[in-house]
Amino acid sequence: MHDLLDDWAQCNGLRETSARLKLFFGLGAIAICISSLEPAAPLFVAASMSLIILILAKIPPRIYSRLLLFPLSFALISSLVVALMHGSGDMLYALDLFGRVLGIREDGAALALLLIARTFGGMCSLFFIALTTPMIEIFALLSSLRIPKSVIELSMMIYRYIFVLLDQAAMIHNAQVMRLGNRSIRSSLASFSMLASVLFLRSWEQGERLVIAMDARCYDGRLDLMEERRGARAKEIVAAAAYLAMALAISIASSRQGII
């Protein structure tokens, strides 16, 4: 996944667009999604962001659908729980489970729909940033915004070594599967405990190797980042501002209609 996101971020159709504009555009859309009181604006952001990613950024639909699968499945399960446990009004669906009635009411269904819409819109906006802007540009941009150096450097190391440890875990798991380490529940638990312990030792070793490598390169406590500045064109700024204004107008109009 690390190689996948970085590869597409380096060669997508919006690669030459200003990183500052893309970050402002994506974060603005996320803010509108999470602040909307009705699902209309988040659904509009989700649909339009998906079209931007697929058409303008030229990300293959197969890749994009795989990325959306996990957060959407989690959102659907969470929304179902919210719909069953929350709300008032007329009963839309009732289920008798061991003498206890579980039902979905109007307010619960509306809240569940809003939760799905917010998650969908926010994730599409987040994937817009991830699939069109390399992480090194995001870190350089944060550095130019006067974010503390220690926070940025720590984030860079965490981002890098998350995927290093995932690769190590995948290699160990594949070796265990080839040796029938998951043939039963008991052996699966033993294999998992062994994987966790070995992964902890590997992470410790990777940290020591990192310190030695950085000392060998005369590390003085600072990682320099070079930001490749690209000025945003006027039509790009106008298009981004018009889009965010439209999404905000939809959010406000739908909220007022819901209140009325």
Side-chain angles (χ1 to χ4, degrees):
M1 189 63 67
H2 169 255
D3 295 335
L4 174 69
L5 292 177
D6 275 355
D7 287 344
W8 286 112
Q10 293 286 350
C11 62
N12 66 90
L14 298 175
R15 176 66 177 85
E16 301 302 323
T17 306
S18 171
R20 291 173 179 267
L21 180 62
K22 288 185 288 188
L23 190 61
F24 169 77
F25 182 68
L27 293 179
I30 292 175
I32 292 173
C33 288
I34 63 177
S35 62
S36 296
L37 301 179
E38 296 292 333
L43 291 177
F44 167 76
V45 170
S48 55
M49 278 292 183
S50 298
L51 292 177
I52 292 173
I53 292 172
L54 297 175
I55 297 176
L56 297 183
K58 300 178 181 178
I59 304 297
R62 179 178 59 86
I63 301 297
Y64 183 57
S65 60
R66 286 177 56 191
L67 290 174
L68 283 178
L69 180 62
F70 293 105
L72 282 183
S73 59
F74 177 76
L76 289 174
I77 296 174
S78 302
S79 300
L80 179 60
V81 174
V82 169
L84 291 173
M85 303 297 293
H86 184 275
S88 59
D90 296 335
M91 184 72 72
L92 300 179
Y93 176 78
L95 175 64
D96 189 358
L97 185 63
F98 302 110
R100 183 182 178 87
V101 178
L102 296 177
I104 299 177
R105 298 182 179 273
E106 288 184 352
D107 290 348
L111 183 60
L113 178 60
L114 178 60
L115 177 61
I116 294 176
R118 284 179 173 178
T119 303
F120 194 21
M123 289 307 304
C124 291
S125 303
L126 183 62
F127 283 136
F128 167 80
I129 297 175
L131 291 170
T132 60
T133 311
M135 282 301 302
I136 190 63
E137 290 190 7
I138 295 178
F139 288 134
L141 178 58
L142 294 177
S143 179
S144 67
L145 295 176
R146 301 295 187 269
I147 302 296
K149 296 289 185 180
S150 57
V151 175
I152 297 175
E153 293 177 3
L154 184 61
S155 300
M156 292 173 61
M157 293 181 183
I158 292 174
Y159 177 77
R160 168 59 182 165
Y161 278 94
I162 283 176
F163 300 101
V164 171
L165 296 180
L166 285 178
D167 290 339
Q168 293 287 333
M171 293 173 59
I172 298 172
H173 177 71
N174 292 336
Q176 291 176 342
V177 171
M178 293 178 63
R179 292 169 174 80
L180 302 179
N182 60 344
R183 63 182 181 274
S184 64
I185 297 178
R186 183 175 181 179
S187 61
S188 297
L189 292 175
S191 298
F192 179 77
S193 61
M194 186 179 299
L195 185 149
S197 61
V198 173
L199 192 61
F200 175 77
L201 295 176
R202 293 283 179 86
S203 63
W204 194 281
E205 293 174 356
Q206 289 287 349
E208 292 181 345
R209 292 174 183 174
L210 175 64
V211 172
I212 295 173
M214 294 173 70
D215 288 339
R217 290 167 174 80
C218 301
Y219 176 66
D220 60 353
R222 185 182 64 182
L223 294 175
D224 293 327
L225 288 171
M226 298 181 63
E227 181 182 4
E228 185 178 355
R229 291 184 176 272
R230 299 188 190 92
R233 291 177 291 182
K235 63 178 183 180
E236 294 174 345
I237 297 175
V238 171
Y243 175 87
L244 294 178
M246 183 183 300
L248 183 60
I250 294 174
S251 176
I252 295 175
S254 59
S255 299
R256 288 179 177 177
Q257 185 177 4
I259 294 174
I260 295 175

